């Protein structure tokens, strides 16, 4: 039985982080395009580093895989040395931009106010923001995961223009790059609370957003996540750096999505 309330296809986003010289990024993209040429049951996005966006965009131009950026600055232009604006990302062919990844919150001191401005700037530039949220190990141990994540979302979406489309990626910090993925049931419970909050508290239409899980996603565990009715896809780090592995994640995501968890 198909889950009729869900959007038609799952969304799988590869976050390459700070990996890939030009030649390697081009090779990875070409391999992915070849492996996923026949695959139409997933929306696939890759987020290369800034330096590879233009060349990857060229390889993707005739393919169905879409382009995303890992970050963007919340001003259109001006004296912000070293930054890249959302309109510049759009100009390069990006459709998506990650916002508020925990690595940026942790290592670059990004706070919720700054993240909220990025979400708004992304939408205003025609990009779909992927707001990343997730609790630390300590917060989880204190039983505060849900409260923490809802608060991050409340603050992160504070400036969201009405009627905007967006994505929320729930990525527990303790699950990122550790091989310790959350259980599909736990991730689904958090995302169910997120969905309820977005629809009931914020009055946002269910069709306006998609909810992803991220954190040590692999070809082996992806189907368990997408089989959950609250999980629309995944944000994938390490497993997106090999074309074969990422293609296997994409195929697994589609397989899980078609199963019912009930
Ligand atoms: P991981 O990273 O899949 O390597 O755990 C996920 C992310 O940071 O987006």
């Amino acid at each position: 039985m198909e889950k009729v309330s869900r959007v038609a296809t799952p969304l799988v986003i590869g976050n390459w982080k700070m990996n890939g010289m030009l030649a390697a990024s081009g090779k990875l993209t070409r391999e992915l395009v070849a492996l996923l040429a026949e695959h139409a049951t997933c929306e696939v996005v890759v987020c290369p580093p800034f330096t590879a966006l233009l060349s990857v965009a060229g390889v993707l131009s005739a393919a169905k895989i879409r382009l995303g950026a890992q970050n963007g600055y919340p001003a259109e232009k001006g004296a912000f040395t070293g930054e890249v604006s959302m309109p510049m990302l759009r100009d390069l062919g990006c459709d998506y931009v990650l916002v508020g990844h925990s690595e940026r919150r942790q290592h670059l001191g990004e706070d919720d106010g700054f993240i909220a401005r990025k979400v708004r700037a992304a939408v205003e530039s025609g990009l779909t923001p992927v707001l990343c949220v997730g609790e630390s190990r300590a917060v989880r141990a204190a039983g505060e995961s849900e409260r923490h994540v809802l608060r991050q979302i409340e603050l992160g979406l504070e400036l969201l223009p009405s009627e905007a489309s967006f994505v929320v990626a729930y990525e527990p910090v303790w699950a990122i790059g550790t091989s310790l993925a959350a259980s599909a049931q736990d991730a689904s419970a958090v995302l169910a609370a997120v969905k309820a909050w977005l629809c009931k508290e914020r009055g946002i239409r269910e069709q306006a957003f998609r909810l992803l899980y991220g954190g040590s996603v692999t070809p082996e565990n992806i189907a368990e996540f997408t089989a959950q009715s609250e999980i629309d896809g995944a944000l994938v780090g390490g497993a997106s750096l090999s074309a074969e592995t990422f293609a296997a994640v994409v195929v697994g995501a589609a397989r899980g999505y078609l199963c019912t968890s009930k």
Side-chain angles (χ1 to χ4, degrees):
M1 188 179 64
E2 211 168 326
K3 294 168 196 165
V4 284
S5 66
R6 305 185 81 176
V7 284
T9 51
L11 171 64
V12 178
I13 304 179
N15 172 13
W16 297 358
K17 308 194 181 183
M18 199 174 70
N19 293 292
M21 297 300 187
L22 281 180
S25 297
K27 181 169 176 282
L28 174 55
T29 312
R30 282 190 298 277
E31 288 172 357
L32 254 185
V33 168
L35 284 169
L36 296 176
E38 304 299 321
H39 191 82
T41 45
C42 247
E43 182 179 345
V44 181
V45 179
V46 292
C47 301
F50 282 140
T51 48
L53 279 172
L54 186 58
S55 62
V56 169
V59 180
L60 292 182
S61 60
K64 277 179 276 169
I65 300 172
R66 299 168 89 180
L67 189 65
Q70 297 174 22
N71 181 39
Y73 192 77
E76 210 174 310
K77 60 180 179 173
F80 300 100
T81 301
E83 291 299 327
V84 176
S85 75
M86 303 292 180
M88 288 169 178
L89 298 175
R90 190 74 187 129
D91 196 31
L92 279 171
C94 291
D95 289 315
Y96 288 86
V97 60
L98 306 185
V99 176
H101 191 283
S102 65
E103 285 152 13
R104 297 196 63 84
R105 294 179 191 256
Q106 195 183 337
H107 303 308
L108 293 141
E110 291 198 0
D111 63 22
D112 291 304
F114 190 46
I115 288 164
R117 288 172 51 214
K118 291 189 184 203
V119 168
R120 180 179 58 192
V123 171
E124 286 174 346
S125 306
L127 295 161
T128 301
V130 180
L131 174 63
C132 304
V133 295
E135 82 285 0
S136 65
R137 194 179 296 281
V139 169
R140 178 179 164 83
E144 293 283 308
S145 303
E146 214 171 280
R147 195 195 55 77
H148 178 86
V149 164
L150 291 179
R151 183 74 182 138
Q152 282 182 322
I153 293 175
E154 182 179 7
L155 295 171
L157 297 182
E158 204 154 60
L159 306 174
L160 182 79
S162 57
E163 300 299 311
S165 293
F166 63 96
V167 177
V168 171
Y170 168 53
E171 300 201 297
V173 177
W174 48 269
I176 295 178
T178 57
S179 306
L180 296 170
S183 76
Q185 292 70 21
D186 284 356
S188 181
V190 172
L191 287 173
V194 169
K195 187 178 188 172
W197 186 86
L198 289 171
C199 295
K200 295 195 185 120
E201 298 291 322
R202 284 287 304 262
I204 298 175
R205 286 179 310 121
E206 213 177 305
Q207 294 77 8
F209 60 86
R210 283 186 281 182
L211 304 178
L212 309 183
Y213 168 75
S216 297
V217 167
T218 64
E220 290 72 37
N221 64 21
I222 180 65
E224 286 172 46
F225 289 105
T226 53
Q228 304 290 322
S229 55
E230 309 301 344
I231 303 182
D232 300 316
L235 179 54
V236 186
S240 71
L241 293 175
S242 141
E244 270 187 19
T245 311
F246 190 54
V249 169
V250 170
V251 170
R255 196 179 62 241
Y257 205 70
L258 291 175
C259 310
T260 176
S261 58
K262 302 199 178 71

